[in-house]
Amino acid sequence: MEIKAIRGFNDILPDEIGKWQFVEKTAREVFEGFGFTEIRIPILERTELFSRGIGEATDIVEKEMYTFADRSGNSLTLRPEATASMARAYLEHQLYNYDSMAKLYCMGPMFRYERPQKGRYRQFYQIDSEVFGVENPMVDAELIIMLIHFLKTVGLDKLELQVNTLGDRTCRPKYREGLKKYLEGKAFQLCEDCKRRIETNPLRVLDCKVETCKQAIADAPKVTDFICSECQKHFDSVKEYLGAAGLSYIINPRMVRGLDYYTRTAFEVVSYQLGSQNAVAGGGRYDNLFQEIGGKEIPGIGFAIGMERLISLLPEGKEFSKYPDLFVAALGEAPFKEASRIVNQLHLEGVRAELDYEGKSLKSQMRRADKLKARYTLILGEEELKRGKAVVRNMGTKSQEEIPIGNLLDIVKQKIL
Ligand SMILES: [Zn+2]
Ligand SMILES: [Zn+2]
């Protein structure tokens, strides 16, 4: 029987890879311009990093993690998100000794056991960016500015920035209580999960996609009704900095984000491209995460961009694939050897050159050059070779000229680079 990939696990094929590389390259350039440095973290972590960091009563920890025991009986989990791991690495290596703040980014696969559907996979990719060690709202704005700048740089438009504040240790518990009271009165309308969440995690009910739950929360109290003056001040500053940068935003008081560790600033970027509403990125501040995973009190803020979603929204018409610069078509034994020498030389010069390895007819070599979308073809025949010449054909315009083989490298580089 033919072995197939696991459900929800996806191959990214050569004809799609250009988009991925473009997005990743742009992210590196933009983020590094903002002073961020890449960090690479393991895919596997101890389960408690996520159960404590993300929160026991979240969907991720309750039902979406890939958790298993290794051969020594340790409970390990494939990372469902990157923030907790990045915070762990920051603590473990005491990066705060190097500088009081760290601006880090990482990209790679995450794993969640969700129902696979179009554009949603169990192994999916994120670009993550985090700032550790600064509580100043200036940083919240700077991170959001960077995110929007990145999304525009890769070509997204019709973006909407939504912001909210989630309160902190002082005011959030009051909101939680207020919301809990409200939900208890609406329990009959809630789905089974949400009935349970009234006790375990009432804020999660605001995220529920079930229609009756959505109706039930229509008049629910808003976090902004409970916010303390410190949180209000922080939120006002964030909005002021965003305004100063010329960014427009809307306040979405229902946005709570899917994880427990968020405090104060929360944000999402929604795209209205393709006629529908798609969240492409989201993040927020998490000033309690470090304590949850056993560290000191260190403030943090970050965002994650969903790669699959982002790639599906890239503008049409932009060419991402790489095609040969030059296809060398040779006919006869001596020309074929010469073709091989030329192609090897071109490769060393960084020219993407191809040739036919099977000694096929000139016609079929030209067909292949066409199919590979080569920009130029070099035609080498016995007769031309004896005269030290070859023919260069522009595959777009179909114009061709005879050139001396001795100058080939210069001519090709001039045409291509
Ligand atoms: Zn529900
Ligand atoms: Zn507060």
Side-chain angles (χ1 to χ4, degrees), residues 167-172 226-232 264:
D168 61 0
R169 246 173 303 192
T170 316
C171 53
R172 177 121 128 221
F226 292 82
I227 213 81
C228 72
S229 62
E230 281 303 299
C231 287
Q232 188 63 55
R264 295 194 169 168

Side-chain angles (χ1 to χ4, degrees), residues 59-313:
D59 279 358
I60 295 176
V61 173
E62 275 181 351
K63 48 192 181 192
E64 291 171 1
M65 292 206 304
Y66 273 92
T67 298
F68 56 90
D70 72 1
R71 288 172 191 273
S72 319
N74 302 309
S75 177
L76 304 181
T77 295
L78 285 168
R79 62 181 188 198
E81 56 104 57
T83 307
S85 300
M86 284 162 85
R88 186 222 15 92
Y90 175 82
L91 288 174
E92 188 168 339
H93 304 285
Q94 300 174 358
L95 297 183
Y96 44 81
N97 284 339
Y98 172 71
D99 187 16
S100 61
M101 80 179 287
K103 293 172 160 182
L104 304 169
Y105 72 89
C106 82
M107 37 183 101
M110 309 293 156
F111 304 85
R112 287 186 204 175
Y113 197 87
E114 287 184 279
R115 197 155 50 85
Q117 41 186 302
K118 196 182 177 309
R120 229 196 174 93
Y121 304 102
R122 288 176 171 173
Q123 174 174 331
F124 58 98
Y125 290 79
Q126 285 187 341
I127 301 179
D128 275 84
S129 185
E130 315 287 340
V131 181
F132 298 147
V134 192
E135 212 180 340
N136 194 309
M138 216 187 285
V139 164
D140 304 40
E142 189 183 303
L143 197 73
I144 294 172
I145 292 164
M146 178 172 89
L147 171 61
I148 300 285
H149 176 60
F150 165 71
L151 294 173
K152 286 185 174 164
T153 306
V154 296
L156 264 56
D157 62 2
K158 300 200 178 108
L159 296 173
E160 181 183 84
L161 169 63
Q162 303 184 355
V163 295
N164 191 21
T165 181
L166 301 178
D168 61 0
R169 246 173 303 192
T170 316
C171 53
R172 177 121 128 221
K174 289 177 196 149
Y175 175 51
R176 200 186 140 107
E177 270 317 299
L179 187 61
K180 201 175 141 193
K181 273 207 191 83
Y182 171 86
L183 292 172
E184 278 162 357
K186 296 274 179 181
F188 63 98
Q189 257 181 287
L190 299 175
C191 73
E192 286 310 309
D193 277 339
C194 285
K195 274 184 190 137
R196 198 165 36 81
R197 286 173 181 140
I198 297 176
E199 285 305 320
T200 60
N201 201 342
L203 265 69
R204 282 284 75 71
V205 178
L206 302 179
D207 280 337
C208 188
K209 302 280 179 282
V210 177
E211 207 43 53
T212 49
C213 296
K214 281 190 191 168
Q215 287 163 14
I217 59 157
D219 301 315
K222 297 185 173 92
V223 64
T224 31
D225 305 331
F226 292 82
I227 213 81
C228 72
S229 62
E230 281 303 299
C231 287
Q232 188 63 55
K233 220 168 85 190
H234 192 273
F235 192 40
D236 289 342
S237 295
V238 172
K239 292 186 284 186
E240 195 185 320
Y241 284 120
L242 290 177
L247 281 193
S248 54
Y249 56 86
I250 63 158
I251 296 166
N252 177 358
R254 293 270 178 259
M255 185 209 309
V256 293
R257 313 281 312 142
L259 306 101
D260 268 0
Y261 55 55
Y262 286 113
T263 52
R264 295 194 169 168
T265 315
F267 55 94
E268 261 179 31
V269 181
V270 175
S271 159
Y272 285 90
Q273 242 164 278
L274 309 175
S276 59
Q277 182 183 346
N278 291 292
V280 279
R285 180 166 278 287
Y286 40 85
D287 295 340
N288 303 332
L289 170 66
F290 280 93
Q291 274 185 312
E292 292 298 330
I293 62 172
K296 336 166 170 200
E297 207 165 314
I298 296 168
I301 181 166
F303 64 72
I305 303 168
M307 280 283 269
E308 283 82 359
R309 177 68 58 76
L310 174 59
I311 280 167
S312 75
L313 293 170

Side-chain angles (χ1 to χ4, degrees), residues 325-346:
D325 299 313
L326 183 76
F327 187 94
V328 182
L331 210 61
E333 201 175 321
F336 185 73
K337 281 188 180 146
E338 180 63 3
S340 159
R341 188 190 67 81
I342 290 171
V343 165
N344 283 330
Q345 198 184 1
L346 289 173

